Amino acid sequence: MRLPEIPARPPVTDTPRRFLFLQGPHGPWFHRLARMLRETGAEAWRVGFNLGDRVFWPGPGYIAFQDIHDRWPDACAAILARHAITDLVVYGDTRPIHAQAIALARARGITVHVFEEGYLRPYWVTYERGGANGHSRLMELGVPEMRAALEPVDLDLPEAPATWGDMRQHMFWGALYHGFVALGRRAYRNFRPHRSLTVGQEFQLYLKRFLMMPVHRWERRLATRRIRRGGFPYHLAILQLEHDASFRDHSPFASMTDFLALVLEGFAKGAPPHHHLVFKAHPLEDGRAPILPTIRRLAAAHGLRERVHFVRGGKLAQLLNEARSAVTVNSTAGQQALWRGLPLRAFGAAVYAKPEFVSSQPLEAFFAAPDRPDTRAYRDYRHFLLETSQVVGGFYSSRGRRALLRQVVDLMLSPEDPYQALVAGKAAPRQQLRLVR
């Protein structure tokens, strides 16, 4: 079997690899990664767009971009040429400065390395070449091709995680980053975040969410207890962040309200009258979208006030274990439903949206009698991911970063992307999950 070639391959040359980093996850991950790349003989630079980027890149190789956004493509092209860049490294591929840089890199034959939160999060990170999520090479691959690539490989699959991951560390680094961004407004007066809120508003939301964690924990426990002790069958709607790239760029919905309205209408028309519907908020939901008021309003309009529930963040596994089905836009958490053999209906572009295990039924019919997934096909798909783009570790905790560094540098230096390496029989042995737990 041969996979389609990716647009850019590492150039064959005796000169050192030259990596250019753009914006990364909140915290020190990109700086730690660059430090290890330098140990291999490579060179590394980082373009910073605000004081938060600068603080998390101490030492050499920092390039400040303080101009207006319209001049970024020309500035990026000049940086790529001046430093003879061979590799571009980004976190996510859809924010405008990244999308523009990726287009320039591809035109020059520069390898594009994309990091993302794990498709099998929380104990894995996604590393791909060229693009992620709806732009991933996984979108081109079917289960038969994956099974063919796995023929010489045998692996005991780890259980699906029960929690989101390094939540406190994620929130801490996010609040700290946005605090530095706010402090550096004068030096980076032209910086505009890729989301609609101002830097000050982002910082306030991160801080508020961090401070409200004890209150939200009690709300979540009470809501979960009512559902689990209610004795009723229920379906689970897995929500996402409205401002997240997966929802914003790879779904058919303009807002989360549109998705909520569709789900509640389908449930009202199709679900048996004794079934309930549970909306599970994303662990990082911060209130910028009026999720709970919208659910209450729409539930009342459909006469479902007593049959609709809302859970703020927390462990997904407890709710999935007793659910009848799950519905989502394209959340990676949908894979936890598939791992449990639950029927799943997804609406957006997702790397796991394969016909073997994701339903295409109209929502009314899905809530009435959902099609069950082919669980063998899903396990083969999950096995393929664990052997390729899913790397044990995390961005936000020190132990997660250590685990990630043990594997990802070699993946970045390899001439093959992770998927082609497996097909070619050159994939490196993978680290065991227990090392980061």
Side-chain angles (χ1 to χ4, degrees):
M1 183 191 74
R2 183 174 179 80
L3 301 180
E5 292 293 332
I6 54 177
R9 305 285 288 176
V12 179
T13 175
D14 293 331
T15 60
R17 300 277 287 275
R18 297 168 176 263
F19 290 84
L20 180 67
F21 289 74
L22 299 186
Q23 291 194 296
H26 302 144
W29 162 243
F30 265 9
H31 178 252
R32 302 284 172 83
L33 174 59
R35 189 168 62 187
M36 184 168 284
L37 284 168
R38 289 191 182 109
E39 292 177 6
T40 73
E43 299 178 24
W45 291 266
R46 165 79 180 269
V47 179
F49 301 85
N50 55 61
L51 184 60
D53 292 341
R54 179 54 175 140
V55 168
F56 290 121
W57 188 274
Y62 183 78
I63 304 169
F65 179 78
Q66 297 166 304
D67 213 334
I68 61 174
H69 177 82
D70 290 347
R71 295 177 182 170
W72 164 242
D74 291 339
C76 182
I79 293 169
L80 295 175
R82 181 168 65 250
H83 295 289
I85 298 300
T86 62
D87 299 79
L88 179 69
V89 188
V90 297
Y91 172 63
D93 61 353
T94 59
R95 63 183 69 180
I97 57 174
H98 288 179
Q100 292 165 339
I102 289 171
L104 291 168
R106 286 174 174 164
R108 290 160 173 77
I110 293 170
T111 303
V112 177
H113 307 266
V114 182
F115 285 92
E116 256 293 2
E117 303 292 346
Y119 295 146
L120 301 176
R121 68 182 66 174
Y123 301 116
W124 294 272
V125 157
T126 296
Y127 165 72
E128 296 185 277
R129 302 269 179 94
N133 293 312
H135 300 146
S136 168
R137 298 187 69 208
L138 287 170
M139 302 298 292
E140 311 166 7
L141 296 174
V143 173
E145 290 84 0
M146 296 177 184
R147 283 172 165 161
L150 288 169
E151 283 185 3
V153 181
D154 188 20
L155 175 72
D156 291 331
L157 299 185
E159 293 293 327
T163 59
W164 197 87
D166 299 321
M167 178 62 63
R168 289 184 179 85
Q169 294 94 328
H170 191 157
M171 294 172 66
F172 169 78
W173 290 120
L176 192 62
Y177 175 84
H178 285 96
F180 283 123
V181 173
L183 289 173
R185 288 185 199 173
R186 181 172 296 181
Y188 294 88
R189 64 181 71 244
N190 294 308
F191 173 68
R192 298 292 182 271
H194 62 284
R195 293 168 179 163
S196 59
L197 298 185
T198 66
V199 172
Q201 290 171 325
E202 287 274 3
F203 173 71
Q204 290 175 8
L205 286 172
Y206 268 94
L207 184 60
K208 178 182 177 182
R209 186 173 64 226
F210 188 77
L211 295 175
M212 289 294 291
M213 285 183 71
V215 176
H216 292 165
R217 186 181 301 114
W218 278 107
E219 289 180 352
R220 180 170 61 248
R221 288 177 177 174
L222 290 174
T224 303
R225 183 178 181 181
R226 284 195 297 268
I227 294 165
R228 299 188 69 188
R229 292 193 173 188
F232 44 74
Y234 64 86
H235 306 263
L236 189 64
I238 303 171
L239 303 182
Q240 297 164 244
L241 299 176
E242 187 177 85
H243 59 272
D244 185 75
S246 294
F247 183 91
R248 189 182 66 246
D249 300 313
H250 301 298
S251 88
F253 302 104
S255 69
M256 186 58 69
T257 297
D258 296 339
F259 174 67
L260 297 175
L262 180 69
V263 171
L264 281 160
E265 181 182 6
F267 181 80
K269 292 180 178 179
H274 62 293
H275 284 206
H276 288 225
L277 179 62
V278 176
F279 287 94
K280 169 68 169 58
H282 190 279
L284 293 177
E285 181 58 58
D286 53 21
R288 72 182 67 188
I291 302 297
L292 182 54
T294 301
I295 290 173
R296 287 173 173 168
R297 174 176 58 82
L298 293 171
H302 287 288
L304 299 171
R305 191 190 302 270
E306 302 302 321
R307 295 169 57 199
V308 172
H309 311 265
F310 177 79
V311 178
R312 190 189 301 273
K315 294 183 178 181
L316 181 62
Q318 292 181 353
L319 294 172
L320 278 175
N321 288 339
E322 297 174 353
R324 299 294 294 272
S325 73
V327 59
T328 187
V329 178
N330 54 3
S331 171
T332 56
Q335 301 209 54
Q336 292 195 39
L338 293 172
W339 177 252
R340 290 165 172 79
L342 290 178
L344 177 68
R345 181 69 169 90
F347 290 89
V351 295
Y352 60 81
K354 307 299 182 185
E356 288 87 350
F357 39 78
V358 174
S359 173
S360 61
Q361 295 170 277
L363 203 49
E364 180 179 344
F366 179 81
F367 281 124
D371 292 336
R372 295 186 61 183
D374 180 341
T375 54
R376 290 183 180 178
Y378 175 70
R379 287 172 183 267
D380 290 338
Y381 162 86
R382 192 167 187 264
H383 188 176
F384 183 83
L385 261 63
L386 290 172
E387 290 287 347
T388 53
S389 61
Q390 303 306 288
V391 188
V392 169
F395 300 127
Y396 306 107
S397 70
S398 57
R399 62 179 180 178
R401 289 189 294 272
R402 288 194 301 268
L404 194 51
L405 283 171
R406 293 187 183 106
Q407 298 248 328
V408 81
V409 172
D410 289 340
L411 293 176
M412 295 176 72
L413 296 176
S414 171
E416 292 89 12
D417 87 303
Y419 306 120
Q420 194 66 49
L422 181 63
V423 174
K426 299 179 181 179
R430 289 311 174 95
Q431 187 175 342
Q432 295 301 307
L433 178 61
R434 63 177 180 272
L435 294 178
V436 295
R437 282 187 168 176

